[in-house]
Structure formats: structure tokens, C-alpha cells
Amino acid sequence: MGNVTWDFTEKVVVITGSAIGIGAGAVRAFSDAGARVYGLDVDSTRGTQVAAETGSTFLACDITDRSAVVTAFAEIGEATSRLDVLINNAGGFWEQLTTETTSETEWDKVIDLNLKGVFLCSQQAIPLLRESSSGRIITLGSLAGQTTMYRSSPPYAAAKAGVQALSRVLAYELAAEGITSNVIAPSAVLTDRILEVRGPEERARTQATIPLGRYGEVDDIVRWMLFLASEESAYMTGQIVTVNGGRFMA
Ligand SMILES: NC(=O)c1ccc[n+]([C@@H]2O[C@H](COP(=O)([O-])OP(=O)(O)OC[C@H]3O[C@@H](n4cnc5c(N)ncnc54)[C@H](O)[C@@H]3O)[C@@H](O)[C@H]2O)c1
């Protein structure tokens, strides 16, 4: 990808939400870099397709279901005995609502996917990450978890703020064992889901608020995953890497 060549030969990488969007881009990049990649997703059709194209392994897994997560990580552990990189990527929301119009069902669904799923996967990953010489946890946050400057989804914003805090907790708990935990916070990456959620007018309005003048591309995010997963990032933990074209500068 770009001018940098990454080598993840022998590294075991788990990527949640691997079937489409940023997750599928990550499966491609880590597979190209020689990693042994496991993709977890509820979308078996597209997940299997991405795995076949990349030579990676697909496991059908709903990350909000503890028993499914336990089973998936047990299978990975049996096959590899360790994990080098966990990428908590699965997440998102599908309805732009206000606090008043958010139903309890919607709240639970979005919080479960974006917050509980990260907890469940990280919890199962920790014993396997301990067997690595350079364990890494990378979690997808969002601008929606950092500030409020556009209509999003109340549970999504709350969950993304939550995973950013959880990532720091993981960083603190695991630092002594050499395992790092960092967040990548994008703002607007043109994946199919974003095309579905945000119409053309809103997209044009959004683009006008991005100082670098364009929406992010999947590779803009994936290259930071590669860096954070590598040995080069060893001295960095508990941080939020904001990759948003300058839309929000903190
Ligand atoms: N695209 C953006 O503009 C943007 C902006 C900020 C943050 N993010 C974050 O980046 C991450 C990836 O976003 P994306 O736009 O590529 O998403 P996407 O919708 O394109 O892909 C998400 C994937 O997660 C899978 N998934 C959904 N529910 C699941 C579950 N319960 N268990 C397992 N897999 C499940 C979906 O099937 C899909 O393959 C998300 O965490 C999102 O919140 C994206």
C-alpha cells in the first residue's frame, strides 16, 4: 500500500467486520503483507468471498453474542496458540435519530455492536495476545465519539466515546505485558454503509467541512492499522489517532 512495504509474515491478525468496508480493506492489506488473517463477521456470504480472494480465514461470528465470540477465539487459539493483532473494526449505525426518537431496541442494538462487541472480543483475545511478543489491540472509534458537530446516532456516539475509554483501560491494564491498545478515529470514509446512511446533499455538505477537501478512503484508515499493528508503534499506547482530513482538530 503506497510506498511503504509492510511485512506481517507469521503474524496472526483477527479483524472483526471483515466482510465489507474498512474491515474488508484491512483483510486485503494484512493478507498482502503476509499475515495469517482471521475475519469475523455476521455476513457469511461476503465474508467468505473476501476470505477466498485473500487466502484468509473467515469465521461466522456475531460479536454481540458472547458464546459465538468464545467459540471463534477458541478455534483461533487452537489453530495458532497465539494472537498478535486484534482489530476491533465491526461497528456502525444505520439510522440517524435524535435522543427523543431513539427506541430502547435501537439503543441496545447499537450499543451492543459498538461497545459490548469490543469488550467481548478484547476479553477473549487477551490470553492469546499474551502469547505474542508484540500484542496489539486496535479499535475503531469515530469523530462522533470525540465531539458533536453533525447528526449521527445517540447510541453510536455514546458507544464510540465508550470504546475510546475502554481502549485506554486496556492500554493501562496490559502495558506491563507489552501489549498496546490504541484507537483509530475516522470521520467520513465513503463505504457502502455511509452511502446508504447519508444522501448526496448531506455528503456534499460534509465534504465542504473537511479542510483536506475530500472524504476519506478505506486505505487512509488501513495504513494506520498497519502502522499500529507493527513493531514501529511499540512505544505508543492508550492513544486516539484521529484520521479525518482535518475536520476536527483536537
Ligand atoms: N465509514 C465511516 O465513515 C466511518 C466513520 C467513523 C467510524 N467508522 C467506524 O469504522 C468501522 C468500520 O466502518 P465501515 O464504514 O467500514 O462499516 P461497514 O458497515 O462497511 O462494515 C461493518 C462490517 O461489520 C459487520 N457487522 C455488523 N454487525 C456485526 C456483528 N454483530 N458481528 C460481526 N460483524 C458485524 C457488517 O456485516 C460489516 O461487514 C466501524 O466501527 C465504524 O463505526 C467508520
Side-chain angles (χ1 to χ4, degrees), residues 15-24 27 39-42 61 63 87 89-91:
I15 300 168
T16 68
S18 62
I20 55 172
I22 297 168
V27 172
L40 273 49
D41 207 294
V42 282
C61 175
I63 63 156
I87 303 186
N89 166 78

Side-chain angles (χ1 to χ4, degrees), residues 18 27-28 31 35-39 47-48 50-58:
S18 62
V27 172
R28 293 200 169 89
S31 300
R36 193 167 165 188
V37 177
Y38 288 82
T48 307
V50 170
E53 287 163 13
T54 55
S56 60
T57 304
F58 174 72

